[in-house]
Amino acid sequence: MFKFRELEARDMETVTRWRNDPEVINSLGAPFRYINPETDRRWFENYMNNRSHAVRLAICTDEDDSILGLASLLDIDPINQSCTFHIMVGRENQGKGAGTFGVRELTRHAFDNLNLKRVELTVLESNKRAIHVYEKMGYVYEGCRRQAVYKQGRFHNQLLYSVLKDEFKA
């Protein structure tokens, strides 16, 4: 149903549209900013020049190579065998299983192919749908960063979750 491929320059127009969509960004820990295409082009070039510490994958359907979402492993630390997970799914693609696929398969990739032991993430306390998916995959709540994220005129709690290789429930 879904597949991964590495993020490509041709995806940047779609990624920029999502990053400029308040409904998409409001569910994420990142602040809403107006992002111009040149900024995202430089962001992509920076990723391509630093691929040893990051994996950024487009989530696509099996039938089509167009991007539905973006899943990333960042700050890959080979000594401590850990990284940070991020995901963003376009508003038009939410609720169709792309996010669940992204969490499950990229976490599996971290453990089975990158030889990592720990994957962590942060999620807004209000993002119940994402929290449900993370917990279903074996991610464990580690703590709350109280009022850590300012969005829509107020502060929000950000929760820290992680999963260890032997806890992962694919």
Side-chain angles (χ1 to χ4, degrees), residues 66-125:
S66 61
I67 186 171
L68 305 173
L70 169 62
S72 305
L73 299 176
L74 306 176
D75 305 318
I76 297 171
D77 181 339
I79 294 172
N80 292 309
Q81 294 179 278
S82 65
C83 69
T84 304
F85 177 88
H86 291 268
I87 191 166
M88 175 173 56
V89 177
R91 181 169 25 132
E92 65 278 11
N93 305 312
Q94 294 177 3
K96 299 176 183 176
T100 299
F101 167 85
V103 174
R104 182 184 61 243
E105 296 306 319
L106 194 51
T107 303
R108 183 190 322 267
H109 178 66
F111 295 140
D112 293 350
N113 299 316
L114 301 180
N115 194 32
L116 299 180
K117 181 178 176 78
R118 172 187 165 88
V119 178
E120 70 177 44
L121 60 86
T122 57
V123 60
L124 291 178
E125 185 176 51

Short mmCIF file of all heavy atoms in Angstrom, two decimals, residues 66-125:
data_model
loop_
_atom_site.label_atom_id
_atom_site.label_comp_id
_atom_site.label_asym_id
_atom_site.label_seq_id
_atom_site.Cartn_x
_atom_site.Cartn_y
_atom_site.Cartn_z
N SER A 66 4.48 9.89 -5.94
CA SER A 66 4.32 11.23 -5.38
C SER A 66 4.29 11.16 -3.85
O SER A 66 3.83 10.19 -3.25
CB SER A 66 3.05 11.90 -5.91
OG SER A 66 1.92 11.14 -5.54
N ILE A 67 4.79 12.20 -3.22
CA ILE A 67 4.98 12.23 -1.77
C ILE A 67 3.66 12.45 -1.04
O ILE A 67 2.88 13.33 -1.40
CB ILE A 67 6.05 13.28 -1.40
CG1 ILE A 67 6.38 13.24 0.09
CG2 ILE A 67 5.64 14.67 -1.86
CD1 ILE A 67 7.57 14.09 0.48
N LEU A 68 3.42 11.63 0.02
CA LEU A 68 2.26 11.77 0.90
C LEU A 68 2.66 12.34 2.25
O LEU A 68 1.86 12.96 2.94
CB LEU A 68 1.60 10.40 1.13
CG LEU A 68 1.20 9.59 -0.07
CD1 LEU A 68 0.74 8.21 0.36
CD2 LEU A 68 0.12 10.31 -0.84
N GLY A 69 3.90 12.07 2.63
CA GLY A 69 4.42 12.50 3.92
C GLY A 69 5.92 12.39 3.93
O GLY A 69 6.54 11.88 2.99
N LEU A 70 6.50 12.88 4.99
CA LEU A 70 7.95 12.91 5.16
C LEU A 70 8.27 12.33 6.53
O LEU A 70 7.74 12.79 7.54
CB LEU A 70 8.44 14.35 5.07
CG LEU A 70 9.88 14.67 5.46
CD1 LEU A 70 10.86 13.94 4.56
CD2 LEU A 70 10.12 16.16 5.40
N ALA A 71 9.11 11.29 6.58
CA ALA A 71 9.53 10.68 7.84
C ALA A 71 11.06 10.75 7.92
O ALA A 71 11.73 10.47 6.93
CB ALA A 71 9.05 9.24 7.93
N SER A 72 11.56 11.10 9.09
CA SER A 72 13.00 11.34 9.22
C SER A 72 13.57 10.74 10.49
O SER A 72 12.91 10.71 11.53
CB SER A 72 13.29 12.85 9.26
OG SER A 72 12.76 13.50 8.14
N LEU A 73 14.81 10.28 10.39
CA LEU A 73 15.63 9.95 11.54
C LEU A 73 16.75 10.98 11.55
O LEU A 73 17.51 11.08 10.58
CB LEU A 73 16.22 8.54 11.41
CG LEU A 73 15.22 7.40 11.33
CD1 LEU A 73 15.95 6.08 11.09
CD2 LEU A 73 14.35 7.32 12.57
N LEU A 74 16.85 11.74 12.62
CA LEU A 74 17.81 12.83 12.70
C LEU A 74 18.75 12.61 13.88
O LEU A 74 18.46 11.83 14.78
CB LEU A 74 17.09 14.16 12.85
CG LEU A 74 16.04 14.47 11.77
CD1 LEU A 74 15.33 15.77 12.07
CD2 LEU A 74 16.67 14.50 10.40
N ASP A 75 19.85 13.32 13.87
CA ASP A 75 20.84 13.25 14.95
C ASP A 75 21.24 11.80 15.21
O ASP A 75 21.36 11.37 16.37
CB ASP A 75 20.31 13.89 16.24
CG ASP A 75 19.85 15.32 16.01
OD1 ASP A 75 20.56 16.06 15.31
OD2 ASP A 75 18.78 15.69 16.52
N ILE A 76 21.49 11.05 14.15
CA ILE A 76 21.89 9.65 14.30
C ILE A 76 23.25 9.61 14.98
O ILE A 76 24.21 10.21 14.52
CB ILE A 76 21.92 8.94 12.93
CG1 ILE A 76 20.51 8.91 12.33
CG2 ILE A 76 22.50 7.54 13.06
CD1 ILE A 76 20.46 8.43 10.89
N ASP A 77 23.29 8.91 16.10
CA ASP A 77 24.49 8.83 16.93
C ASP A 77 24.96 7.37 16.95
O ASP A 77 24.38 6.55 17.68
CB ASP A 77 24.16 9.32 18.34
CG ASP A 77 25.35 9.30 19.28
OD1 ASP A 77 26.34 8.58 19.02
OD2 ASP A 77 25.28 10.01 20.31
N PRO A 78 25.98 7.02 16.16
CA PRO A 78 26.41 5.62 16.10
C PRO A 78 27.07 5.11 17.39
O PRO A 78 27.04 3.92 17.66
CB PRO A 78 27.39 5.59 14.93
CG PRO A 78 27.84 7.00 14.75
CD PRO A 78 26.73 7.88 15.25
N ILE A 79 27.63 5.98 18.19
CA ILE A 79 28.25 5.54 19.44
C ILE A 79 27.18 5.15 20.46
O ILE A 79 27.23 4.07 21.06
CB ILE A 79 29.18 6.63 20.01
CG1 ILE A 79 30.37 6.82 19.07
CG2 ILE A 79 29.65 6.27 21.43
CD1 ILE A 79 31.27 7.99 19.42
N ASN A 80 26.19 6.01 20.65
CA ASN A 80 25.12 5.73 21.59
C ASN A 80 23.97 4.95 20.96
O ASN A 80 22.99 4.63 21.64
CB ASN A 80 24.60 7.02 22.21
CG ASN A 80 25.65 7.66 23.10
OD1 ASN A 80 26.21 7.01 23.97
ND2 ASN A 80 25.93 8.93 22.87
N GLN A 81 24.08 4.69 19.65
CA GLN A 81 23.09 3.92 18.90
C GLN A 81 21.68 4.48 19.08
O GLN A 81 20.73 3.76 19.37
CB GLN A 81 23.13 2.44 19.29
CG GLN A 81 24.43 1.77 18.90
CD GLN A 81 24.46 0.32 19.31
OE1 GLN A 81 24.75 0.03 20.46
NE2 GLN A 81 24.15 -0.55 18.38
N SER A 82 21.55 5.80 18.85
CA SER A 82 20.27 6.47 19.05
C SER A 82 20.03 7.51 17.96
O SER A 82 20.94 7.88 17.22
CB SER A 82 20.22 7.13 20.42
OG SER A 82 21.20 8.16 20.49
N CYS A 83 18.78 7.94 17.87
CA CYS A 83 18.40 9.00 16.93
C CYS A 83 17.08 9.59 17.37
O CYS A 83 16.43 9.11 18.31
CB CYS A 83 18.29 8.45 15.51
SG CYS A 83 16.89 7.34 15.28
N THR A 84 16.66 10.62 16.65
CA THR A 84 15.39 11.29 16.89
C THR A 84 14.51 11.09 15.66
O THR A 84 14.96 11.25 14.53
CB THR A 84 15.61 12.80 17.13
OG1 THR A 84 16.51 12.96 18.23
CG2 THR A 84 14.31 13.50 17.44
N PHE A 85 13.25 10.74 15.91
CA PHE A 85 12.27 10.49 14.85
C PHE A 85 11.39 11.72 14.66
O PHE A 85 10.96 12.34 15.64
CB PHE A 85 11.41 9.29 15.24
CG PHE A 85 10.32 8.97 14.26
CD1 PHE A 85 10.57 8.14 13.18
CD2 PHE A 85 9.05 9.51 14.40
CE1 PHE A 85 9.56 7.85 12.26
CE2 PHE A 85 8.04 9.23 13.50
CZ PHE A 85 8.31 8.40 12.42
N HIS A 86 11.10 12.06 13.39
CA HIS A 86 10.14 13.11 13.05
C HIS A 86 9.27 12.62 11.90
O HIS A 86 9.74 11.87 11.05
CB HIS A 86 10.86 14.38 12.56
CG HIS A 86 11.62 15.10 13.61
ND1 HIS A 86 11.08 16.12 14.35
CD2 HIS A 86 12.89 14.97 14.04
CE1 HIS A 86 11.99 16.58 15.19
NE2 HIS A 86 13.10 15.89 15.02
N ILE A 87 8.03 13.09 11.87
CA ILE A 87 7.14 12.76 10.76
C ILE A 87 6.19 13.92 10.49
O ILE A 87 5.81 14.64 11.41
CB ILE A 87 6.35 11.45 11.05
CG1 ILE A 87 5.63 10.97 9.79
CG2 ILE A 87 5.41 11.63 12.22
CD1 ILE A 87 5.13 9.55 9.87
N MET A 88 5.88 14.10 9.21
CA MET A 88 4.89 15.10 8.79
C MET A 88 4.12 14.48 7.62
O MET A 88 4.72 13.99 6.66
CB MET A 88 5.59 16.38 8.34
CG MET A 88 4.65 17.42 7.77
SD MET A 88 5.43 19.03 7.42
CE MET A 88 6.78 18.60 6.34
N VAL A 89 2.81 14.49 7.72
CA VAL A 89 1.95 13.97 6.66
C VAL A 89 1.09 15.12 6.17
O VAL A 89 0.50 15.85 6.97
CB VAL A 89 1.08 12.79 7.16
CG1 VAL A 89 0.14 12.31 6.08
CG2 VAL A 89 1.96 11.66 7.66
N GLY A 90 1.01 15.28 4.85
CA GLY A 90 0.19 16.34 4.27
C GLY A 90 -1.26 16.21 4.70
O GLY A 90 -1.78 15.10 4.87
N ARG A 91 -1.91 17.34 4.91
CA ARG A 91 -3.29 17.35 5.40
C ARG A 91 -4.19 16.47 4.55
O ARG A 91 -5.03 15.72 5.05
CB ARG A 91 -3.83 18.78 5.44
CG ARG A 91 -5.25 18.85 5.95
CD ARG A 91 -5.75 20.24 6.25
NE ARG A 91 -5.10 21.31 5.53
CZ ARG A 91 -5.75 22.27 4.91
NH1 ARG A 91 -7.05 22.29 4.89
NH2 ARG A 91 -5.09 23.23 4.29
N GLU A 92 -4.02 16.51 3.23
CA GLU A 92 -4.86 15.75 2.31
C GLU A 92 -4.60 14.25 2.39
O GLU A 92 -5.39 13.45 1.87
CB GLU A 92 -4.64 16.24 0.87
CG GLU A 92 -3.25 16.02 0.32
CD GLU A 92 -2.18 17.04 0.71
OE1 GLU A 92 -2.42 17.88 1.62
OE2 GLU A 92 -1.09 17.00 0.12
N ASN A 93 -3.53 13.84 3.06
CA ASN A 93 -3.15 12.43 3.15
C ASN A 93 -3.34 11.85 4.55
O ASN A 93 -3.06 10.68 4.77
CB ASN A 93 -1.70 12.26 2.73
CG ASN A 93 -1.44 12.83 1.36
OD1 ASN A 93 -2.19 12.57 0.43
ND2 ASN A 93 -0.41 13.64 1.23
N GLN A 94 -3.80 12.64 5.49
CA GLN A 94 -3.94 12.18 6.86
C GLN A 94 -5.15 11.25 7.00
O GLN A 94 -6.11 11.36 6.26
CB GLN A 94 -4.06 13.37 7.81
CG GLN A 94 -2.78 14.18 7.86
CD GLN A 94 -2.87 15.43 8.72
OE1 GLN A 94 -3.88 15.69 9.36
NE2 GLN A 94 -1.80 16.20 8.75
N GLY A 95 -5.05 10.33 7.95
CA GLY A 95 -6.14 9.41 8.23
C GLY A 95 -6.23 8.25 7.25
O GLY A 95 -7.23 7.53 7.24
N LYS A 96 -5.20 8.02 6.45
CA LYS A 96 -5.22 6.96 5.44
C LYS A 96 -4.19 5.87 5.71
O LYS A 96 -4.02 4.97 4.91
CB LYS A 96 -4.98 7.56 4.05
CG LYS A 96 -6.03 8.58 3.65
CD LYS A 96 -5.71 9.23 2.33
CE LYS A 96 -6.75 10.28 1.99
NZ LYS A 96 -6.41 11.01 0.76
N GLY A 97 -3.46 5.99 6.83
CA GLY A 97 -2.48 4.97 7.19
C GLY A 97 -1.05 5.32 6.84
O GLY A 97 -0.13 4.57 7.21
N ALA A 98 -0.82 6.42 6.16
CA ALA A 98 0.55 6.78 5.78
C ALA A 98 1.42 7.07 7.00
O ALA A 98 2.59 6.69 7.05
CB ALA A 98 0.55 7.98 4.83
N GLY A 99 0.85 7.72 7.99
CA GLY A 99 1.60 8.03 9.20
C GLY A 99 1.97 6.77 9.98
O GLY A 99 3.10 6.63 10.44
N THR A 100 1.02 5.87 10.13
CA THR A 100 1.29 4.60 10.82
C THR A 100 2.38 3.82 10.09
O THR A 100 3.31 3.30 10.71
CB THR A 100 0.00 3.77 10.94
OG1 THR A 100 -0.96 4.51 11.70
CG2 THR A 100 0.27 2.44 11.62
N PHE A 101 2.27 3.76 8.78
CA PHE A 101 3.31 3.11 7.97
C PHE A 101 4.66 3.77 8.25
O PHE A 101 5.67 3.09 8.47
CB PHE A 101 2.98 3.19 6.48
CG PHE A 101 4.12 2.83 5.58
CD1 PHE A 101 4.39 1.51 5.27
CD2 PHE A 101 4.97 3.82 5.07
CE1 PHE A 101 5.47 1.17 4.45
CE2 PHE A 101 6.04 3.49 4.26
CZ PHE A 101 6.29 2.16 3.95
N GLY A 102 4.71 5.10 8.20
CA GLY A 102 5.96 5.82 8.38
C GLY A 102 6.60 5.54 9.73
O GLY A 102 7.82 5.30 9.82
N VAL A 103 5.80 5.57 10.79
CA VAL A 103 6.33 5.30 12.14
C VAL A 103 6.85 3.87 12.22
O VAL A 103 7.98 3.63 12.65
CB VAL A 103 5.26 5.55 13.21
CG1 VAL A 103 5.76 5.12 14.60
CG2 VAL A 103 4.83 7.02 13.23
N ARG A 104 6.03 2.91 11.81
CA ARG A 104 6.40 1.50 11.93
C ARG A 104 7.65 1.17 11.11
O ARG A 104 8.62 0.61 11.61
CB ARG A 104 5.22 0.61 11.48
CG ARG A 104 5.52 -0.89 11.62
CD ARG A 104 4.38 -1.75 11.10
NE ARG A 104 4.13 -1.50 9.68
CZ ARG A 104 2.99 -1.00 9.19
NH1 ARG A 104 1.99 -0.70 9.99
NH2 ARG A 104 2.86 -0.80 7.89
N GLU A 105 7.63 1.55 9.83
CA GLU A 105 8.71 1.11 8.95
C GLU A 105 10.01 1.87 9.14
O GLU A 105 11.09 1.30 8.99
CB GLU A 105 8.25 1.16 7.49
CG GLU A 105 7.11 0.19 7.20
CD GLU A 105 7.41 -1.25 7.60
OE1 GLU A 105 8.55 -1.72 7.37
OE2 GLU A 105 6.50 -1.91 8.15
N LEU A 106 9.94 3.15 9.50
CA LEU A 106 11.19 3.87 9.73
C LEU A 106 11.80 3.48 11.07
O LEU A 106 13.03 3.41 11.20
CB LEU A 106 10.99 5.38 9.62
CG LEU A 106 12.28 6.19 9.51
CD1 LEU A 106 13.21 5.66 8.41
CD2 LEU A 106 11.99 7.65 9.28
N THR A 107 10.97 3.18 12.06
CA THR A 107 11.51 2.67 13.32
C THR A 107 12.15 1.31 13.09
O THR A 107 13.25 1.03 13.58
CB THR A 107 10.40 2.58 14.39
OG1 THR A 107 9.78 3.87 14.56
CG2 THR A 107 10.97 2.12 15.73
N ARG A 108 11.51 0.46 12.30
CA ARG A 108 12.08 -0.85 11.96
C ARG A 108 13.43 -0.66 11.24
O ARG A 108 14.40 -1.34 11.54
CB ARG A 108 11.12 -1.63 11.07
CG ARG A 108 11.63 -3.03 10.73
CD ARG A 108 10.83 -3.74 9.64
NE ARG A 108 9.41 -3.55 9.64
CZ ARG A 108 8.54 -4.36 10.26
NH1 ARG A 108 8.97 -5.40 10.94
NH2 ARG A 108 7.25 -4.13 10.17
N HIS A 109 13.49 0.29 10.31
CA HIS A 109 14.73 0.58 9.58
C HIS A 109 15.84 1.00 10.56
O HIS A 109 16.99 0.56 10.43
CB HIS A 109 14.46 1.68 8.55
CG HIS A 109 15.66 2.10 7.78
ND1 HIS A 109 16.33 1.27 6.90
CD2 HIS A 109 16.33 3.29 7.76
CE1 HIS A 109 17.35 1.93 6.36
NE2 HIS A 109 17.37 3.15 6.87
N ALA A 110 15.50 1.83 11.55
CA ALA A 110 16.49 2.27 12.53
C ALA A 110 17.10 1.09 13.26
O ALA A 110 18.32 1.03 13.47
CB ALA A 110 15.84 3.23 13.53
N PHE A 111 16.27 0.12 13.63
CA PHE A 111 16.76 -1.03 14.39
C PHE A 111 17.40 -2.09 13.50
O PHE A 111 18.47 -2.60 13.82
CB PHE A 111 15.62 -1.64 15.20
CG PHE A 111 15.09 -0.73 16.28
CD1 PHE A 111 13.73 -0.66 16.52
CD2 PHE A 111 15.94 0.06 17.04
CE1 PHE A 111 13.23 0.18 17.51
CE2 PHE A 111 15.45 0.90 18.03
CZ PHE A 111 14.09 0.96 18.27
N ASP A 112 16.75 -2.43 12.40
CA ASP A 112 17.21 -3.56 11.58
C ASP A 112 18.33 -3.22 10.60
O ASP A 112 19.11 -4.09 10.25
CB ASP A 112 16.04 -4.15 10.79
CG ASP A 112 15.01 -4.81 11.70
OD1 ASP A 112 15.27 -4.99 12.90
OD2 ASP A 112 13.93 -5.16 11.18
N ASN A 113 18.40 -1.98 10.15
CA ASN A 113 19.39 -1.62 9.13
C ASN A 113 20.46 -0.65 9.62
O ASN A 113 21.58 -0.68 9.10
CB ASN A 113 18.68 -1.04 7.90
CG ASN A 113 17.75 -2.04 7.28
OD1 ASN A 113 18.08 -3.20 7.12
ND2 ASN A 113 16.54 -1.60 6.95
N LEU A 114 20.12 0.20 10.56
CA LEU A 114 21.10 1.18 11.04
C LEU A 114 21.75 0.74 12.36
O LEU A 114 22.59 1.45 12.89
CB LEU A 114 20.44 2.55 11.22
CG LEU A 114 19.81 3.14 9.95
CD1 LEU A 114 19.19 4.50 10.25
CD2 LEU A 114 20.84 3.25 8.83
N ASN A 115 21.32 -0.41 12.89
CA ASN A 115 21.88 -0.98 14.12
C ASN A 115 21.75 -0.03 15.30
O ASN A 115 22.64 0.08 16.14
CB ASN A 115 23.34 -1.40 13.93
CG ASN A 115 23.83 -2.28 15.05
OD1 ASN A 115 23.07 -3.05 15.63
ND2 ASN A 115 25.11 -2.15 15.38
N LEU A 116 20.61 0.68 15.38
CA LEU A 116 20.37 1.57 16.51
C LEU A 116 19.65 0.79 17.61
O LEU A 116 19.02 -0.23 17.37
CB LEU A 116 19.55 2.78 16.07
CG LEU A 116 20.21 3.65 15.00
CD1 LEU A 116 19.33 4.83 14.64
CD2 LEU A 116 21.59 4.13 15.44
N LYS A 117 19.77 1.30 18.82
CA LYS A 117 19.15 0.66 19.99
C LYS A 117 17.98 1.47 20.52
O LYS A 117 17.08 0.92 21.16
CB LYS A 117 20.20 0.49 21.08
CG LYS A 117 19.69 -0.18 22.33
CD LYS A 117 20.81 -0.36 23.34
CE LYS A 117 20.32 -0.95 24.62
NZ LYS A 117 20.09 -2.38 24.54
N ARG A 118 17.97 2.79 20.25
CA ARG A 118 16.96 3.68 20.83
C ARG A 118 16.53 4.71 19.79
O ARG A 118 17.36 5.31 19.12
CB ARG A 118 17.56 4.39 22.04
CG ARG A 118 16.70 5.48 22.63
CD ARG A 118 17.47 6.23 23.73
NE ARG A 118 16.84 7.47 24.08
CZ ARG A 118 15.88 7.60 25.00
NH1 ARG A 118 15.47 6.55 25.66
NH2 ARG A 118 15.34 8.77 25.24
N VAL A 119 15.22 4.92 19.69
CA VAL A 119 14.65 5.98 18.86
C VAL A 119 13.77 6.82 19.78
O VAL A 119 12.95 6.28 20.51
CB VAL A 119 13.82 5.41 17.69
CG1 VAL A 119 13.20 6.53 16.88
CG2 VAL A 119 14.66 4.50 16.81
N GLU A 120 13.97 8.13 19.73
CA GLU A 120 13.13 9.00 20.57
C GLU A 120 12.43 10.03 19.71
O GLU A 120 12.80 10.28 18.56
CB GLU A 120 13.95 9.67 21.67
CG GLU A 120 14.92 10.71 21.20
CD GLU A 120 15.65 11.38 22.36
OE1 GLU A 120 16.09 10.68 23.30
OE2 GLU A 120 15.78 12.62 22.32
N LEU A 121 11.39 10.62 20.31
CA LEU A 121 10.62 11.65 19.62
C LEU A 121 9.95 12.54 20.64
O LEU A 121 9.83 12.16 21.82
CB LEU A 121 9.58 11.02 18.69
CG LEU A 121 8.52 10.10 19.31
CD1 LEU A 121 7.33 10.88 19.84
CD2 LEU A 121 8.06 9.08 18.31
N THR A 122 9.51 13.69 20.19
CA THR A 122 8.65 14.54 21.00
C THR A 122 7.36 14.75 20.23
O THR A 122 7.34 14.72 18.99
CB THR A 122 9.29 15.91 21.32
OG1 THR A 122 9.63 16.57 20.11
CG2 THR A 122 10.52 15.76 22.20
N VAL A 123 6.27 14.93 20.98
CA VAL A 123 4.95 15.10 20.39
C VAL A 123 4.15 16.06 21.26
O VAL A 123 4.29 16.04 22.49
CB VAL A 123 4.24 13.73 20.24
CG1 VAL A 123 4.06 13.03 21.58
CG2 VAL A 123 2.90 13.87 19.53
N LEU A 124 3.35 16.89 20.63
CA LEU A 124 2.49 17.78 21.41
C LEU A 124 1.49 16.94 22.20
O LEU A 124 0.92 15.97 21.68
CB LEU A 124 1.73 18.75 20.50
CG LEU A 124 2.56 19.81 19.79
CD1 LEU A 124 1.67 20.66 18.90
CD2 LEU A 124 3.28 20.71 20.79
N GLU A 125 1.25 17.33 23.42
CA GLU A 125 0.32 16.62 24.29
C GLU A 125 -1.09 16.54 23.67
O GLU A 125 -1.81 15.57 23.88
CB GLU A 125 0.26 17.32 25.65
CG GLU A 125 -0.56 16.63 26.69
CD GLU A 125 -0.47 17.34 28.03
OE1 GLU A 125 -0.69 18.57 28.08
OE2 GLU A 125 -0.18 16.65 29.03
#
